[in-house]
Amino acid sequence: MATKKKFNLDALFTPNNTNFEMVQVLDAEGKVVNPDLVPDLSDDELVELMTDMVWSRILHERSTALNRQGRLGFYAPTAGQEASQLASIKAIEKEDVLLPGYRDVPQLVKHGLPLSQAFLWSRGHVAGNMYPESLKALPPQIIIGAQYVQAAGVALGLQKRGKKNVAVTYTGDGGSSQGDFYEGINYAGAYKSPAIFFIQNNGWAISTPRELQTAAPTLAQKAVAAGIPGIQVDGMDPLAVYAVTKKAREYAVAGNGPVLIETICFRYGPHTLSGDDPTRYQPEGIQDEWAKKDPLIRFRNYLTAKGLWSEEKENEVIEATKEEIKEAIKEADKQPKQKVSFFLETMFEEPTNVIKEQIEHFKAKENK
């Protein structure tokens, strides 16, 4: 019998909140521990969320393989963070503006970016940043924490235009130690602008353990200094993430200002595939310990008990995802390779005489 934990969600959404106990709906076995917080999702919506999470895990596995084959460029692993990423993006609206970090490509795709363009972005191709006007998002931010400042500005813009939408952004635990982090939440808090700031606390930043980054007992409580609500949630629990995000959106669009949400999760693997090796700085066995809390396992158990999921259904999702990725890579491969002359031509609206000479020089070499 799972231990029931009571949370008054409304009480957490106040600038004076000092309860930073982790909000949880499902325990590691997928049993409900807080029935009052189970979100009002239909069976179809629950299945869709699980489908998205499985899709993300396979995307991670295939992206890792493509990177090692030299067919993909920069890649930041996402395995372990599926509940934090996919449940939160499911709780917002298409007209809300997404400002992702470089680990947040799954949310970006589910918000409307074609997967082929996500692959082009990873390759550093300019076409990966050419978003359709209908997509309310910015390309992933590489500068740690800079998206927080951008989100504050976007949220103020939505507010000034009378839009009932929010700006949503993500950073990691390391990002919460950056100056941009505080500047972003402070600015949005001062103007009561509609923003949801996520800290995906996966414990290690790049290689520095969470406890050496800050003396604060939780990262959620950093919201107190900005006078906004700060809430900590089990980032391996999709129902808890969804419930808190949904409530945060309602709070923000009602004119109450921004919310800071810390999701406690874990990243299975390196910070990026650009040379990081977590075995050099993580304690032995920690990956196995966190694997017991895997978001896919607990949500699979929950849905299976409700008769909504099966091994056959999951295998269908896996095969469909592999095919989607295969087609997206083919589409990305069709994009013409970039040339030095192109970058020179687009450097200035009117090229200088020196740049004009360089353009001619490189065009001559490229046409051989």
Side-chain angles (χ1 to χ4, degrees), residues 9 25 34-46 49 90-91 238-240 242-244 246-247 250 302 306:
L9 210 53
V25 175
N34 194 341
D36 292 340
L37 288 188
V38 175
D40 185 20
L41 289 167
S42 68
D43 289 350
D44 286 345
E45 289 172 324
L46 290 170
L49 177 53
K90 188 173 180 58
L239 295 188
Y242 180 90
V244 170
K246 195 75 172 177
K247 187 71 176 178
E250 293 171 359
Y302 174 73
K306 291 173 67 71

Side-chain angles (χ1 to χ4, degrees), residues 111-355:
H111 202 53
L113 182 71
L115 183 55
S116 59
Q117 275 192 267
F119 287 147
L120 286 169
W121 174 82
S122 177
R123 292 176 176 181
H125 200 292
V126 67
N129 296 314
M130 295 178 177
Y131 289 6
E133 192 173 330
S134 59
L135 176 57
K136 307 302 181 185
L138 267 64
Q141 178 59 262
I142 293 294
I143 302 171
I144 306 295
Q147 62 272 33
Y148 263 51
V149 176
Q150 291 176 313
V154 170
L156 182 63
L158 292 170
Q159 182 182 24
K160 291 290 187 182
R161 291 158 58 200
K163 299 287 186 180
K164 291 296 182 181
N165 295 104
V166 296
V168 181
T169 192
Y170 300 80
T171 193
D173 46 300
S176 71
S177 297
Q178 294 289 106
D180 285 352
F181 163 83
Y182 179 72
E183 290 173 10
I185 63 174
N186 185 66
Y187 188 91
Y191 287 95
K192 292 191 179 300
S193 300
I196 304 176
F197 297 100
F198 283 96
I199 306 171
Q200 297 190 98
N201 181 359
N202 58 35
W204 293 93
I206 294 176
S207 59
T208 303
R210 148 74 181 88
E211 59 268 20
L212 296 183
Q213 293 180 50
T214 176
T218 72
L219 302 182
Q221 72 191 72
K222 293 190 174 189
V224 174
I228 67 175
I231 299 164
Q232 187 184 85
V233 61
D234 185 347
M236 310 291 266
D237 174 358
L239 295 188
V241 172
Y242 180 90
V244 170
T245 306
K246 195 75 172 177
K247 187 71 176 178
R249 188 184 185 280
E250 293 171 359
Y251 177 92
V253 298
N256 297 306
V259 178
L260 179 69
I261 301 173
E262 176 189 6
T263 64
I264 304 297
C265 50
F266 192 77
R267 181 190 71 238
Y268 304 142
H271 178 71
T272 71
L273 299 187
S274 302
D276 178 45
D277 179 7
T279 63
R280 296 177 62 186
Y281 53 80
Q282 288 184 350
E284 186 176 352
I286 192 170
Q287 296 268 347
D288 294 335
E289 189 62 32
W290 274 93
K292 297 174 184 176
K293 305 174 185 179
D294 190 284
L296 268 67
I297 292 175
R298 71 171 73 179
F299 204 38
R300 182 186 297 126
N301 290 345
Y302 174 73
L303 294 185
T304 300
K306 291 173 67 71
L308 297 175
W309 199 256
S310 65
E311 184 178 354
E312 181 183 11
K313 172 66 176 174
E314 187 156 331
N315 287 335
E316 288 175 0
V317 173
I318 290 171
E319 291 308 312
T321 302
K322 288 179 178 178
E323 187 61 29
E324 178 187 353
I325 293 168
K326 181 180 176 181
E327 292 303 313
I329 282 291
K330 283 183 181 178
E331 189 64 31
D333 287 343
K334 293 178 183 177
Q335 194 67 224
K337 293 188 182 300
Q338 299 177 113
K339 297 178 180 180
V340 175
S341 60
F342 167 77
F343 290 114
L344 290 167
E345 286 173 332
T346 55
M347 186 178 295
F348 299 111
E349 185 176 3
E350 290 292 335
T352 64
N353 289 332
V354 173
I355 296 295

Side-chain angles (χ1 to χ4, degrees), residues 58 63-64 176 179 307:
I58 300 305
S63 294
T64 300
S176 71

